[in-house]
Amino acid sequence: MLRLRAICPFSWRVFNFRLLSSESLISQMSKCTDEEQIFDLIEKNKAILSEKQVGCAFSILWQFQKQTVSLSKNVKGIRDHPQFLTLHNLTTAKMEFMNDDTLVNVLYITQQFGVEVHDPLVEALVTEAWRRLERFDINVLSKFSSCLANQHLYFSPLMGEIANIVNKNLETIQDLRSLSVLMVSISSLISQHFQEQLVNKTELLFDTIDSSQVNIARRIVQFLRNIKYTYYPLLERCNKVFLSNVNHLDLDSISKILSLYHSLQFHSFEFILMAKKRLTEMIPLFNHPASFAKLFVALGPMAGPEEKKQLKSTILLMSEELTSQQVLAVMGAMEEMESRNSCLIKKIASILHKHLDNYKPIELLKITQALIFLRFQSKELFAKLREVLLSYLKVSVMPTEISILVCALSMLPSPHLDEARISQIEAVLPQCDLNELNGFATYVLRCVQYDHMYLDNTTGKQLKLLQKLDHYGHQRLQKCNSLNLLWEELKSLKGDWFPDTLLEETVATLQRLMDEINYINVAGIASFISRTNYLSTSLLDRIASVVVQQIEKIHPFAILAVILPFSILNYDPPQKDEFFGTCIQHLNSYLSILDPLMLVFLGFSLATLEYFPEDLQKAIFNIKFLAKLDSQLELLRSSLNLRIQFRLMELNRAVCLECPEYQIPWFHDRFCQQQYNKDTTSMNGAQQQIYQMLAEILGGINFVKASVLTPYYYTIDFECILDKRKKPLPYGSHNITLEKLPKMYSESNTQITGSRLPPGAEKIALEFLDSRAFCRNIPHLKGKSAMKKRHLEILGYRVIQIPHFEWNSMARSTKDARMDYLREQIFGEGKS
């Protein structure tokens, strides 16, 4: 070393000078208090700045930027500064000498300062990073992947290489922070097997992070959302992180978490309650339109009446300052809030009108759906909306986009399309999946229903299009060879076309692929069957078998979905007791933490199947649980709120009637009376026929009651009473109908001229059952109708159920045949 210094004294002095000056300049940068001081240093030293100093300058500028209140304004000021251009040029010249961490950090910061994706500097940085990709450590790789994600390069070959590197090195990765970033970045192009590997690795590493790592937990939930996998064990663990940090979460974090949970259909009552409290506290803190709009969207759907009133009045005042995206988000929240504030709806709609030309097709569909749901009427707005949708449609070539546009057009007044647009739809049909075909079919059906003026001409073309849709739908199902791919297309299907046209073929396809049903997809397939009302015993038997064999891998949160089709369709699999017993046992340790809504639905579903696990009933019917449920009901939209209350009432009734030993009180009188007073049900044609014939058979109108209210508030179509010799007994002049509310009696409210039933007499309940009481494909009684029959029998009735297919059959096409049928049902005899 001494010899080297003697030979090259000048070089050593230069090197030593550069080293010292480098340290000195970096030290000076670190002492700067604003951007101008940094830029002054750059201007004075631009001739000697090293790659290390350039990287340091970027880092300190970004630190200043993060502390700035007016972010967007300050970004522009820095980006347009002459010395930022100097940094830009120096980076281009020196990036080759930068270390990996500095290189990627500079790329990240240039993006934060809004440097365009196609700027030569950004392109050069990405190219240089790509060249070094294989040598990046996990931290640098994760940051680089997020830079690519910021450029929307999710499907690029470069992101594919990053995914491959992660796959090769997954076993050695121990940093969950970096891995979570990578998981989100590569989620769009990885296989299902790789997805499962990442989920397993995340579970293994989760305990290596502390409970304050909100960003890591949020990225994990985002990854699950991206791959459409509601994996409860990880979601629960992430939820605990959010709950323990809820007081430190800002508006952006809470909004993001709520949005992710909504997409995954993951319900955490505790988080929603705490988020509501936290967001409510923020209402006075935001007076800027952008922030308040985000608060409105996050808090509005779960706010109480007073908070909603405050949110609506404030957003109305700020509405003119909202951007196109903010007003779109506000409209979506108003739809979720079921808003009926006509002044606010009109104002938001007028602002949307101004921005219609700027929205994408999917956004136009959301606008259309919201306007229809909120019952907004405006010829001018709908005319403009139709014009914009048609302009998109004329140039669109993607099946998904065309389906979205046609779906939106079908909701508008005068939904008919011209011949060119019909031809455009026909041209893309071979490329369409079931969702897209369903969207087109919905359009055709709405057209046919909407305007009978076109029956002779346009409807002929529409029906021809409908036939083609049927053809391509059947063809797609017959060619399908993957259950998981099929499920992706089935899970969000809505409307009349699919169940009427393709349901049978779909069930046949599911039966063909049912060996692929496993613990991962079993809940999804069960949910689909629940929606269809189609009884396939082979599919349900397969579901039961998978659950029994793989119960340890199935999360208790998924048990409701698994049980539901058996409950709805009133079906017991061969291993009935083992299947239901296994499900109930699997739930027991989770009863205290399951969502209150889920517990109510579970209790009711099991009750229809005649299962009343005592631990579950005790978990539901106690003051603490019911108070918790009440507080949760306040967060729900009115339609779901009412549905939950009905299910709790029905469960309460079932337990009182079928398990009196549990000594659970009946506490739904007031609720039932309120609903009974709202009921405006009237007899349909078949019920009126039966009523008249019963009066004729029994000896007069005073021998039969219509619309009878029983104890525990069952309504039965008709009631009559036979004495011990099977002779009809008359009622008094009063006839209980749905027009007036009777008081509840401890005994039956049926009274015979003010006295009790004579010894040996029997009450008969006659029920006309329409198609809703039966499975879609076979005349098999569904769960709720079977339970009602069971309960009426407990209440002392002999129950006669008159199925619509028997009443309307050819064998009973005459009045005499129907009279004989009723006599046989009531008296056990034919024509008398």
Side-chain angles (χ1 to χ4, degrees):
M1 177 64 77
L2 291 173
R3 190 177 301 154
L4 181 63
R5 289 181 65 179
I7 296 169
C8 307
F10 178 75
S11 299
W12 181 261
R13 282 197 302 274
V14 172
F15 177 78
N16 193 40
F17 171 77
R18 286 192 64 188
L19 182 64
L20 291 172
S21 63
S22 172
E23 290 175 352
S24 174
L25 194 51
I26 287 175
S27 177
Q28 289 178 59
M29 287 181 182
S30 66
K31 293 175 183 176
C32 290
T33 56
D34 59 35
E35 294 90 339
E36 285 301 327
Q37 292 181 8
I38 291 286
F39 286 137
D40 285 344
L41 282 174
I42 292 168
E43 185 178 15
K44 292 173 185 176
N45 298 279
K46 58 187 174 185
I48 62 167
L49 281 175
S50 68
E51 68 281 357
K52 185 177 180 182
Q53 292 160 348
V54 170
C56 181
F58 270 111
S59 295
I60 294 174
L61 282 172
W62 179 234
Q63 289 303 316
F64 289 143
Q65 177 62 20
K66 288 193 289 186
Q67 298 165 14
T68 305
V69 177
S70 181
L71 202 65
S72 58
K73 183 179 177 182
N74 209 51
V75 159
K76 190 176 186 306
I78 291 175
R79 192 175 63 239
D80 295 343
H81 196 286
Q83 298 312 316
F84 190 80
L85 180 60
T86 301
L87 268 182
H88 180 291
N89 295 334
L90 284 168
T91 303
T92 304
K94 296 180 181 294
M95 71 174 70
E96 186 180 345
F97 305 105
M98 290 179 176
N99 63 37
D100 298 343
D101 188 50
T102 302
L103 179 79
V104 173
N105 195 49
V106 169
L107 172 62
Y108 174 79
I109 294 169
T110 57
Q111 289 183 338
Q112 304 312 306
F113 282 125
V115 178
E116 292 293 331
V117 171
H118 299 299
D119 186 285
L121 173 61
V122 174
E123 291 181 342
L125 286 167
V126 170
T127 303
E128 179 63 23
W130 194 345
R131 189 176 64 81
R132 306 182 189 187
L133 199 60
E134 289 288 346
R135 77 185 199 202
F136 280 171
D137 67 29
I138 187 69
N139 294 319
V140 175
L141 190 68
S142 69
K143 195 164 196 174
F144 182 51
S145 75
S146 70
C147 291
L148 297 178
N150 289 339
Q151 296 182 30
H152 305 290
L153 296 174
Y154 301 104
F155 298 97
S156 65
L158 180 49
M159 195 70 89
E161 286 193 34
I162 292 175
N164 188 47
I165 291 169
V166 176
N167 191 24
K168 286 191 298 185
N169 297 286
L170 189 57
E171 287 190 14
T172 61
I173 295 174
Q174 298 301 317
D175 179 7
L176 187 54
R177 187 200 67 79
S178 297
L179 181 60
S180 66
V181 174
L182 285 161
M183 286 162 58
V184 172
S185 300
I186 66 176
S187 57
S188 299
L189 40 69
I190 58 178
S191 67
Q192 185 178 345
H193 177 65
F194 191 11
Q195 291 171 6
E196 292 171 16
Q197 286 182 304
L198 288 169
V199 168
N200 293 336
K201 183 70 175 183
T202 303
E203 283 194 285
L204 289 173
L205 294 179
F206 202 93
D207 291 332
T208 64
I209 65 169
D210 63 56
S211 60
S212 65
Q213 297 294 326
V214 170
N215 286 337
I216 295 176
R218 180 185 52 75
R219 284 192 293 268
I220 291 168
V221 177
Q222 188 174 345
F223 169 72
L224 293 172
R225 191 277 309 270
N226 288 358
I227 65 172
K228 301 175 183 177
Y229 185 16
T230 307
Y231 185 64
Y232 292 113
L234 265 183
L235 286 170
E236 279 188 284
R237 296 173 82 172
C238 292
N239 192 57
K240 287 178 182 177
V241 173
F242 301 144
L243 288 171
S244 63
N245 293 278
V246 74
N247 291 329
H248 306 292
L249 296 179
D250 59 13
L251 174 59
D252 285 344
S253 297
I254 294 174
S255 298
K256 184 69 173 176
I257 293 165
L258 288 172
S259 174
L260 292 170
Y261 278 2
H262 180 75
S263 297
L264 286 163
Q265 295 186 318
F266 176 73
H267 305 286
S268 169
F269 168 61
E270 287 79 10
F271 181 77
I272 291 174
L273 202 61
M274 294 175 77
K276 178 190 173 186
K277 180 177 180 294
R278 182 96 174 95
L279 292 171
T280 303
E281 293 166 354
M282 295 180 186
I283 293 177
L285 305 179
F286 295 111
N287 54 16
H288 189 272
S291 300
F292 197 84
K294 187 172 284 187
L295 179 66
F296 183 94
V297 171
L299 178 58
M302 56 184 176
E306 286 303 313
E307 291 87 7
K308 282 183 179 176
K309 186 177 178 182
Q310 192 175 351
L311 288 169
K312 289 176 182 178
S313 60
T314 306
I315 204 72
L316 184 61
L317 295 173
M318 296 180 174
S319 56
E320 287 291 349
E321 301 175 68
L322 297 176
T323 66
S324 60
Q325 288 303 307
Q326 288 160 2
V327 77
L328 175 64
V330 167
M331 175 62 88
M334 289 166 61
E335 180 184 8
E336 201 171 341
M337 294 160 69
E338 300 177 324
S339 176
R340 292 293 177 259
N341 185 320
S342 58
C343 184
L344 180 59
I345 293 169
K346 186 176 180 180
K347 186 66 177 176
I348 294 297
S350 71
I351 299 168
L352 282 170
H353 195 163
K354 297 176 188 176
H355 295 291
L356 279 182
D357 290 318
N358 301 323
Y359 290 118
K360 299 173 183 175
I362 187 64
E363 293 168 338
L364 292 170
L365 174 60
K366 290 177 181 178
I367 290 168
T368 309
Q369 289 171 330
L371 291 172
I372 299 298
F373 180 83
L374 296 172
R375 300 173 189 170
F376 180 74
Q377 298 294 325
S378 168
K379 289 182 179 179
E380 294 78 15
L381 177 54
F382 285 146
K384 175 66 174 176
L385 191 51
R386 179 178 173 83
E387 179 188 322
V388 175
L389 288 165
L390 283 172
S391 67
Y392 268 116
L393 185 58
K394 286 174 183 177
V395 297
S396 184
V397 294
M398 299 293 292
T400 302
E401 187 170 273
I402 294 172
S403 177
I404 287 168
L405 293 165
V406 169
C407 185
L409 283 162
S410 72
M411 298 179 192
L412 298 176
S414 185
H416 302 286
L417 295 174
D418 59 28
E419 203 166 318
R421 302 286 74 79
I422 297 289
S423 299
Q424 185 181 3
I425 293 171
E426 290 177 341
V428 298
L429 292 184
Q431 307 166 50
C432 291
D433 64 19
L434 292 175
N435 270 303
E436 291 151 4
L437 293 173
N438 190 59
F440 292 135
T442 301
Y443 155 72
V444 175
L445 293 174
R446 280 179 179 161
C447 284
V448 172
Q449 183 182 14
Y450 181 80
D451 197 347
H452 296 293
M453 290 169 58
Y454 294 86
L455 280 175
D456 58 337
N457 185 18
T458 307
T459 299
K461 294 174 184 175
Q462 290 163 349
L463 294 177
K464 184 179 176 183
L465 176 57
L466 202 57
Q467 289 173 347
K468 290 186 177 181
L469 289 165
D470 295 351
H471 167 74
Y472 284 111
H474 281 93
Q475 190 178 77
R476 187 165 185 85
L477 286 167
Q478 289 161 7
K479 291 181 178 178
C480 181
N481 56 14
S482 167
L483 182 64
N484 290 330
L485 291 178
L486 176 62
W487 167 237
E488 281 300 313
E489 296 186 31
L490 293 177
K491 63 183 178 183
S492 56
L493 283 180
K494 295 177 182 177
D496 297 328
W497 172 73
F498 175 80
D500 289 343
T501 307
L502 295 183
L503 182 55
E504 195 165 336
E505 185 73 50
T506 302
V507 172
T509 306
L510 287 171
Q511 290 170 337
R512 173 165 56 83
L513 300 172
M514 69 181 181
D515 287 344
E516 295 179 32
I517 296 177
N518 56 36
Y519 70 95
I520 295 174
N521 57 32
V522 66
I525 303 301
S527 297
F528 172 75
I529 296 172
S530 298
R531 297 202 312 268
T532 64
N533 290 324
Y534 192 104
L535 179 57
S536 166
T537 57
S538 60
L539 275 175
L540 290 178
D541 290 348
R542 169 65 182 174
I543 287 170
S545 175
V546 168
V547 171
V548 169
Q549 292 170 17
Q550 304 183 30
I551 189 65
E552 294 305 321
K553 296 179 182 178
I554 299 172
H555 197 278
F557 286 7
I559 294 298
L560 172 60
V562 166
I563 288 175
L564 205 53
F566 297 89
S567 165
I568 291 172
L569 301 174
N570 188 30
Y571 177 70
D572 292 333
Q575 68 274 50
K576 169 187 172 182
D577 291 334
E578 185 182 7
F579 169 58
F580 293 120
T582 298
C583 289
I584 291 166
Q585 186 177 1
H586 197 51
L587 286 168
N588 282 341
S589 59
Y590 274 78
L591 292 179
S592 61
I593 63 171
L594 281 173
D595 187 89
L597 307 186
M598 187 179 291
L599 271 184
V600 171
F601 282 124
L602 270 167
F604 174 75
S605 296
L606 287 167
T608 61
L609 293 158
E610 298 185 75
Y611 282 89
F612 296 88
E614 188 171 1
D615 289 344
L616 177 60
Q617 305 309 322
K618 288 180 177 178
I620 294 173
F621 293 106
N622 65 75
I623 299 299
K624 185 177 178 181
F625 174 87
L626 294 174
K628 188 177 178 181
L629 179 64
D630 277 342
S631 62
Q632 187 168 8
L633 289 175
E634 293 174 5
L635 307 177
L636 304 176
R637 60 165 63 190
S638 58
S639 54
L640 181 56
N641 183 315
L642 188 59
R643 187 177 163 214
I644 302 295
Q645 291 188 68
F646 262 109
R647 286 292 178 265
L648 181 65
M649 180 276 289
E650 290 168 324
L651 175 59
N652 185 200
R653 176 168 63 196
V655 175
C656 289
L657 287 170
E658 299 194 60
C659 298
E661 67 275 13
Y662 288 168
Q663 297 186 325
I664 290 172
W666 166 253
F667 56 91
H668 277 91
D669 265 347
R670 183 180 298 175
F671 171 77
C672 289
Q673 288 169 12
Q674 289 170 348
Q675 299 310 311
Y676 188 78
N677 282 332
K678 295 176 187 176
D679 197 337
T680 57
T681 305
S682 58
M683 288 189 198
N684 59 35
Q687 287 170 324
Q688 289 174 358
Q689 282 182 336
I690 293 169
Y691 189 36
Q692 292 166 0
M693 291 181 187
L694 285 173
E696 194 173 334
I697 290 168
L698 295 170
I701 201 76
N702 61 324
F703 285 86
V704 58
K705 275 187 180 182
S707 302
V708 177
L709 191 69
T710 75
Y712 299 102
Y713 290 87
Y714 270 122
T715 302
I716 54 178
D717 293 340
F718 310 104
E719 180 191 274
C720 64
I721 301 168
L722 302 183
D723 66 15
K724 62 183 179 182
R725 294 183 301 276
K726 289 196 174 185
K727 295 290 184 183
L729 295 176
Y731 291 92
S733 59
H734 63 283
N735 199 353
I736 297 173
T737 69
L738 287 176
E739 294 174 5
K740 290 186 179 181
L741 176 70
K743 294 179 181 178
M744 282 296 292
Y745 301 100
S746 57
E747 299 294 329
S748 170
N749 61 14
T750 301
Q751 297 184 354
I752 306 164
T753 59
S755 64
R756 291 180 179 274
L757 288 177
E762 66 173 351
K763 293 180 297 181
I764 299 175
L766 292 97
E767 287 273 283
F768 176 76
L769 303 181
D770 62 19
S771 59
R772 292 171 296 180
F774 299 93
C775 298
R776 177 183 288 270
N777 55 319
I778 58 173
H780 178 79
L781 197 64
K782 287 165 62 178
K784 283 192 71 174
S785 296
M787 182 165 71
K788 181 176 181 179
K789 182 176 188 292
R790 204 164 66 234
H791 289 173
L792 291 176
E793 287 171 347
I794 292 171
L795 289 169
Y797 286 96
R798 172 160 71 89
V799 181
I800 298 171
Q801 293 182 325
I802 305 171
H804 68 98
F805 49 84
E806 289 189 6
W807 185 253
N808 296 320
S809 67
M810 288 298 293
R812 296 178 184 88
S813 57
T814 64
K815 180 183 177 182
D816 286 345
R818 286 174 171 172
M819 295 277 279
D820 282 348
Y821 174 76
L822 289 175
R823 285 192 190 95
E824 185 178 353
Q825 296 295 318
I826 296 169
F827 302 110
E829 61 187 41
K831 190 172 182 177
S832 60

